[in-house]
Amino acid sequence: MVSRISYCLCLVLVSVVLFSMQLPNDYQLKHAPKLTVTELDFGTEAVTFCMHEGVKIRFKLTLDDFKTEDVIVKKSKGEVDLKTWEAETFTYLINPKSEAFEVEVWVKTKDVAQIQVPVVNGELADYDVSGAFDTSNAKWKPISEVYQVDGDYVKVISNWKLYGRICE
C-alpha cells in the first residue's frame, strides 16, 4: 500500500516537473534591438564603408542577452549593393553607392518567440538615447505580434542607418 502511494506521488511529481519545463519562459526586452556590423578584413565594428569598393561584413543582432548572426539583412532605403557572400556563413558583401543608406533586419521567429516587447497605446514603447525602453504604463506582447512577420521571419529593425564615404 505504501509503495503504491509512493509510486503515485512520484508520478505526480514527475508530471509537474515535466509540465513546468514546457511552460514558455517569456523574456521582457529592456532595450531596443541593436545591430552591430563588423568589417571582416579589419575585424572592427563599422558604420561607414568605402563607396564603390566591395567589403565583407557580418551583422550581429542584439536583443538584450540574446545575440545572433543568423539574420537576413536587406536594403530598406538609399543606394547600396548588399548581398550574401556564399563562401562564408552569415557574411555579406556591401558596396555603398550613396552617403547614407538604411537596412532592415529579419530574424527567425522561432529564435525570438519567447521575447516580449513593451507596448503603449498600441505602439512599441519609446526608448531613450541609450536604447532603454520606457516601460511605464506598458503592456507586454510577443515580438511577433508587434513587429512585421513574413513566413518564418520577423523584422526587428526597419531602418538601421549606415554610411558610405569616398575613399582614396
Side-chain angles (χ1 to χ4, degrees):
M1 181 75 168
V2 172
S3 65
R4 283 186 183 181
I5 293 173
S6 298
Y7 178 73
C8 288
L9 286 174
C10 183
L11 281 178
V12 169
L13 181 62
V14 168
S15 298
V16 167
V17 169
L18 288 176
F19 178 72
S20 66
M21 288 174 47
Q22 293 176 355
L23 290 176
N25 188 12
D26 292 338
Y27 176 80
Q28 294 180 337
L29 195 63
K30 305 292 187 266
H31 296 87
K34 180 183 176 196
L35 185 66
T36 306
V37 186
T38 302
E39 199 169 334
L40 296 181
D41 292 338
F42 302 106
T44 56
E45 289 184 18
V47 292
T48 306
F49 305 95
C50 289
M51 289 161 76
H52 307 295
E53 289 186 19
V55 177
K56 286 192 303 185
I57 60 173
R58 186 166 290 148
F59 295 97
K60 184 193 303 184
L61 174 66
T62 302
L63 301 168
D64 288 348
D65 294 334
F66 175 75
K67 296 174 178 27
T68 184
E69 293 179 344
D70 190 3
V71 295
I72 294 176
V73 179
K74 302 174 185 177
K75 174 187 85 163
S76 62
K77 199 185 272 186
E79 293 186 47
V80 61
D81 291 335
L82 180 66
K83 58 185 174 186
T84 57
W85 193 47
E86 302 299 326
E88 285 184 44
T89 307
F90 309 134
T91 303
Y92 287 78
L93 288 175
I94 191 168
N95 184 5
K97 306 216 182 230
S98 62
E99 290 182 9
F101 56 95
E102 296 177 3
V103 295
E104 58 188 36
V105 182
W106 297 77
V107 65
K108 291 179 184 171
T109 305
K110 68 177 180 70
D111 291 346
V112 295
Q114 295 172 325
I115 295 177
Q116 294 187 344
V117 293
V119 175
V120 177
N121 296 326
E123 300 283 326
L124 185 65
D126 292 332
Y127 52 89
D128 62 20
V129 185
S130 71
F133 282 118
D134 177 6
T135 59
S136 55
N137 301 320
K139 294 181 180 177
W140 295 90
K141 290 191 173 186
I143 203 165
S144 59
E145 288 183 21
V146 178
Y147 291 102
Q148 180 181 346
V149 175
D150 186 10
D152 294 336
Y153 288 84
V154 59
K155 180 171 40 171
V156 293
I157 296 177
S158 298
N159 52 355
W160 194 267
K161 200 163 202 170
L162 299 169
Y163 302 92
R165 69 179 187 279
I166 297 173
C167 299
E168 296 180 19

